[in-house]
């Protein structure tokens, strides 16, 4: 919240709500990145599957 107010005051930027979908996609990418890093540390590799259940 403080970052939003700071950007609005210092840069004249307006607040735009990106929505829940944007938040969930960023969260998904962050989780996948962390899993890939953990797998790499253990000498493994994540392999994407075609099954999107």
């Amino acid at each position: 919240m403080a970052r939003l107010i700071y950007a609005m005051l210092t840069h004249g930027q307006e607040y735009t709500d990106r929505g829940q979908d944007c938040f969930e996609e960023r969260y998904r990418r962050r989780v996948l990145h962390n899993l890939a890093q953990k797998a790499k540390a253990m000498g493994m590799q994540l392999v994407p599957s075609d099954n999107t259940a």
Side-chain angles (χ1 to χ4, degrees):
M1 183 69 134
R3 290 179 61 189
L4 294 173
I5 295 170
Y6 178 79
M8 289 170 58
L9 295 175
T10 59
H11 303 292
Q13 297 175 346
E14 294 185 19
Y15 172 72
T16 54
D17 185 14
R18 296 181 185 160
Q20 185 69 21
D21 293 334
C22 179
F23 172 79
E24 288 176 2
E25 180 59 29
R26 287 180 61 205
Y27 176 76
R28 180 182 170 277
R29 280 186 277 156
R30 186 170 60 241
V31 168
L32 287 174
H33 175 76
N34 289 339
L35 284 173
Q37 292 299 317
K38 288 179 183 180
K40 183 178 179 182
M42 292 188 282
M44 299 178 185
Q45 181 180 1
L46 292 182
V47 179
S49 69
D50 294 334
N51 186 4
T52 58

